Amino acid sequence: MSNPSLLILPGDGIGAEVMVEVRRIIDWFGAKRDLAFDVSEDLVGGAAYDKHGVPLHDDTMAKAQEVDAVLLGAVGGPKYDNLDFSVKPERGLLRLRKEMDLFANLRPAQCFDALADFSSLKTDIVAGLDIMIVRELTSGVYFGEPRGIHMEDNLRVGVNTQRYTEAEIERGARAAFELAMKRDKRLCSMEKANVMESGILWRDVVTEVHADYPEVELSHMYADNGAMQLVRAPKQFDVIYTDNLFGDILSDCAAMLTGSLGMLPSASLGAPMANGRPKAMYEPVHGSAPDITGQGKANPIACVLSFAMALRYSFDKGDEATRLEQAVEKVLADGVRTGDLLGDEDTTPVSTSGMGDAILAALDASL
Ligand code: IPM
Ligand code: MG
């Protein structure tokens, strides 16, 4: 049988640097765990624009549809700020999500014990935190029509449309309920049913799907209250299900509970392919961080943990995913820190590759 295939799209900024470390870890699993992947690499975002004049070449899109999983770094950077909207780096990422139909975006926010002091929130509020945000990723205001900027009475008008079909809400809700069943069986759905019709529909559909998951305790919350509750008492949540835009905002907020945006992985999952694996793309929640690009300062952990999610959700290797997650946990417990994880009392940060070295050593020690 041939090896499972992985398409790596490092993208822009620190995406390329963190992906170097992830590739070393992928190689480790091939050499030490008999888990070899057929890895190919291609361009996305500004890097693709520089070469092809578009943020995602059609050939790359076709490759992404064929492989078992895509691993993406980050896209964007100041160099591309003034490009026409249609060729901005972010359009490459959004095209991948849309055309692969990756409707369920899983964004776990876990606080590692070693970093509990480092959160901007009090230690006891975040210690032991383990929540999962399920963000609908292929619809809503990110993709709704009509959209654009046009003239009305000599004034420019910007338009975007929040639009959800019940089928779109339902399939994401099922993914969220399924996850809740494997966790603490609590699901909180967030919308703005007090001001938006799409929110009323959201609440109705999630309530209907609940009938198939009676063991799960379902609650509903307005998304603004949800943002407040996330920083007030985040441990009240187990799984959160929310739309594309609220999920974007709430997941950045949840990320900071864990100490650094440099820690958070994500999985974007679609329907099962012919081989039974879900269409899937894995990417860190953080962006391309142009301010630290090329300085060896980036924290590769979010991207490493994204590969761990790939092991779990695409390749059915939950044990190996746990091995990798525990290696990261050990490294943090040992006090190894990139610059983003340093408090006032700490002194020397490790470089991006220093963090990679430490994780590889912890993996070796796990054998
Ligand atoms: C994210 C990012 C993207 C989004 C950008 C880069 C298009 O913020 O994945 O959270 O808004 O979805
Ligand atoms: Mg975001």
Side-chain angles (χ1 to χ4, degrees):
M1 232 175 70
S2 60
N3 297 328
S5 54
L6 265 181
L7 173 61
I8 294 197
L9 303 173
D12 306 320
I14 61 166
E17 297 161 47
V18 297
M19 205 57 92
V20 169
E21 303 314 312
V22 177
R23 285 205 71 156
R24 293 168 70 201
I25 286 165
I26 294 171
D27 291 346
W28 185 91
F29 278 92
K32 303 284 174 70
R33 302 301 301 157
D34 199 21
L35 238 180
F37 293 92
D38 285 338
V39 181
S40 53
E41 202 168 306
D42 210 331
L43 303 171
V44 69
Y49 177 83
D50 287 340
K51 176 138 185 232
H52 303 299
V54 285
L56 186 73
H57 194 277
D58 288 344
D59 292 348
T60 316
M61 186 65 241
K63 253 191 252 172
Q65 296 283 20
E66 276 161 24
V67 291
D68 291 314
V70 177
L71 199 56
L72 185 136
V75 296
K79 185 177 160 194
Y80 308 105
D81 279 351
N82 296 323
L83 286 183
D84 186 73
F85 185 75
S86 64
V87 290
K88 276 193 187 295
E90 290 79 2
R91 304 311 305 170
L93 174 59
L94 294 170
R95 181 177 175 201
L96 282 161
R97 291 175 178 173
K98 186 70 178 173
E99 292 192 20
M100 292 172 76
D101 202 18
L102 305 172
F103 59 88
N105 182 214
L106 281 43
R107 299 191 159 188
Q110 259 172 316
C111 185
F112 288 87
D113 286 346
L115 297 182
D117 287 341
F118 191 68
S119 170
S120 47
L121 268 69
K122 292 197 188 81
T123 310
D124 59 316
I125 291 184
V126 296
L129 178 80
D130 178 6
I131 60 185
M132 174 73 88
I133 296 185
V134 179
R135 167 188 178 193
E136 196 294 324
L137 201 61
T138 50
S139 185
V141 77
Y142 271 57
F143 297 99
E145 301 280 347
R147 65 185 299 163
I149 301 174
H150 65 266
M151 296 299 290
E152 268 177 40
D153 300 331
N154 274 327
L155 283 177
R156 283 174 302 165
V157 179
V159 177
N160 288 94
T161 302
Q162 166 80 333
R163 180 179 191 277
Y164 269 106
T165 68
E166 55 182 332
E168 288 167 337
I169 300 168
E170 182 187 334
R171 62 183 185 169
R174 288 200 183 278
F177 276 110
E178 292 290 339
L179 276 164
M181 286 296 289
K182 292 187 191 137
R183 297 170 47 101
D184 202 33
K185 298 195 172 60
R186 290 180 296 121
L187 177 65
C188 181
S189 169
M190 295 187 188
E191 27 57 16
K192 286 282 288 177
N194 50 345
V195 284
M196 296 164 81
E197 285 80 357
S198 59
I200 295 176
L201 183 67
W202 187 277
R203 197 175 274 225
D204 280 354
V205 173
V206 173
T207 304
E208 285 159 20
V209 176
H210 185 210
D212 292 340
Y213 300 90
E215 280 172 65
V216 176
E217 183 191 310
L218 172 67
S219 58
H220 303 275
M221 210 178 256
Y222 297 140
D224 53 344
N225 183 27
M228 189 269 276
Q229 296 296 339
L230 264 177
V231 288
R232 191 187 71 87
K235 283 189 263 182
Q236 70 185 283
F237 298 113
D238 177 26
V239 179
I240 293 172
Y241 177 45
T242 192
D243 79 12
N244 205 342
L245 182 60
F246 294 143
D248 180 44
I249 297 165
L250 294 171
S251 63
D252 262 34
C253 179
M256 264 329 276
L257 304 174
T258 70
S260 168
L261 204 49
M263 295 294 300
L264 257 81
S266 81
S268 305
L269 306 176
M273 300 185 282
N275 61 12
R277 294 187 173 116
K279 271 263 156 80
M281 178 161 76
Y282 299 86
E283 51 175 311
V285 170
H286 64 69
S288 58
D291 52 325
I292 58 162
T293 295
Q295 301 169 35
K297 287 184 181 168
N299 181 355
I301 290 180
C303 203
V304 169
L305 292 176
S306 298
F307 174 62
M309 290 188 89
L311 290 171
R312 178 170 291 119
Y313 292 105
S314 280
F315 304 114
D316 211 16
K317 296 283 179 199
D319 291 352
E320 300 300 336
T322 303
R323 178 191 299 279
L324 181 51
E325 287 157 358
Q326 284 174 349
V328 169
E329 202 169 340
K330 172 164 191 307
V331 161
L332 293 171
D334 288 348
V336 182
R337 302 275 187 274
T338 42
D340 56 313
L341 301 175
L342 283 183
D344 299 335
E345 71 283 9
D346 303 292
T347 43
T348 345
V350 297
S351 64
T352 308
S353 62
M355 182 57 90
D357 292 342
I359 297 171
L360 285 167
L363 281 172
D364 276 335
S366 78
L367 294 175

